[in-house]
Amino acid sequence: MSVSHSRRRFRAALAAAAMITTATTTAVGVGTSVANADPVPSVPTRFQEPGDRLLALDLTTLSTAGWAETDDSAAVDPAASAEGSDVPAEPSPAPPPAPAPLAVTPDDLARIVPGIQPEKIGQYIAPLNDAMTHNGIDTPVRQAAFIAQLAVESDSFRTFEEYASGRAYEGRADLGNTQPGDGERFKGRGAIQITGRHNYEKLSEHTGVDYVAHPELLAAPENAFTTAAWYWTSRNLNQVADTAGIVRVSEIVNGGHNALSRRVADFQRGLDVLIHP
């Protein structure tokens, strides 16, 4: 029952009480003439003033009979409502994403590799960072070591194909060059100068690109850095850089100590730039 309904019933009770009081103080016999009517004795009443009628109502009786009910369903207990609600609580906010791996900026690259041609920086910076990000080359030590090797092998990013003809690799079984012409066909290419049939075959298996049939694709800028990162991770050079240092990294990449002082200098410069930008 609504509150407004309860109020209407309560007013009706008051009106009924008023009518009863008036009738008992003025009533005469009904159905006889006034002249012959026997006087009707007055019925004592507790009420003479309308203002006292409210006091005559037995509020307990009215409440029991439903006259003074209130609509409990209309009253909302906020605490009870919250506890009994079927609406699920809002989920906790997701934790913030992990910070992105360190990125090498164009300015960083120009400072690490002073000999790089300015017009090449904008072309190479994105694929370089992408290759490092997707292959765990994500600390200053690893990045400096990686860039130092690429800078020497590519002549400061001037070429992604070895200047020499590759004839010197002909017949090199340790490189997998077992067929005539393999030396020239599979000479050094890419940013890290991947060399030999064996490496081209493994790289093709890993990437799904047939570098054996199309070795020239390795020298394309869009492939030069991803293939260099493949070579890097296939030799576990992140761990080598972390533990053994730049000289050991250089020996694995180059097979000796060719341009070792340059590799070390570029590595140190890279650390200085990336740790103290």
Side-chain angles (χ1 to χ4, degrees):
M1 184 187 296
S2 68
V3 175
S4 60
H5 192 188
S6 298
R7 289 175 177 170
R8 286 197 297 272
R9 297 185 64 178
F10 196 80
R11 292 193 192 101
L14 288 176
M19 292 175 65
I20 293 169
T21 303
T22 304
T24 54
T25 55
T26 61
V28 294
V30 179
T32 60
S33 67
V34 176
N36 296 325
D38 293 329
V40 179
S42 270
V43 179
T45 177
R46 294 172 55 192
F47 311 106
Q48 297 299 328
E49 297 296 333
D52 293 333
R53 290 175 186 143
L54 183 60
L55 299 176
L57 295 177
D58 187 343
L59 295 179
T60 302
T61 302
L62 290 173
S63 177
T64 303
W67 289 93
E69 287 181 356
T70 59
D71 188 358
D72 290 338
S73 64
V76 179
D77 183 350
S81 176
E83 292 176 2
S85 174
D86 292 333
V87 179
E90 292 187 7
S92 301
L102 296 174
V104 175
T105 68
D107 181 64
D108 292 338
L109 186 58
R111 293 166 61 196
I112 297 170
V113 188
I116 190 172
Q117 297 169 309
E119 65 273 16
K120 297 294 187 181
I121 295 176
Q123 183 181 0
Y124 297 158
I125 194 66
L128 170 64
N129 274 299
D130 187 64
M132 292 192 295
T133 298
H134 288 89
N135 290 276
I137 308 172
D138 53 9
T139 69
V141 168
R142 295 175 180 184
Q143 291 170 340
F146 184 67
I147 294 172
Q149 300 304 317
L150 269 55
V152 171
E153 295 294 336
S154 67
D155 189 19
S156 297
F157 299 98
R158 286 184 173 88
T159 182
F160 294 141
E161 183 170 335
E162 188 175 356
Y163 292 134
S165 67
R167 291 192 189 97
Y169 305 125
E170 189 70 18
R172 289 273 304 268
D174 59 318
L175 295 175
N177 292 341
T178 58
Q179 300 181 25
D182 280 356
E184 293 186 40
R185 184 174 184 81
F186 301 115
K187 68 177 183 177
R189 292 186 180 91
I192 208 166
Q193 300 293 295
I194 294 173
T195 307
R197 173 182 283 275
H198 177 73
N199 284 324
Y200 277 66
E201 288 175 343
K202 290 297 183 182
L203 177 61
S204 298
E205 292 174 7
H206 177 77
T207 62
V209 178
D210 192 353
Y211 291 110
V212 175
H214 303 281
E216 72 282 356
L217 293 178
L218 222 166
E222 61 270 23
N223 300 323
F225 295 98
T226 56
T227 55
W230 165 80
Y231 182 90
W232 187 267
T233 56
S234 70
R235 273 66 177 176
N236 201 23
L237 291 176
N238 279 328
Q239 184 176 1
V240 175
D242 291 342
T243 58
I246 189 61
V247 173
R248 183 56 186 151
V249 169
S250 300
E251 291 172 345
I252 294 173
V253 171
N254 176 250
H257 290 167
N258 181 48
L260 180 60
S261 60
R262 162 80 189 278
R263 297 172 197 267
V264 173
D266 284 359
F267 170 72
Q268 188 58 57
R269 190 184 305 111
L271 280 182
D272 292 342
V273 169
L274 297 173
I275 294 177
H276 306 290

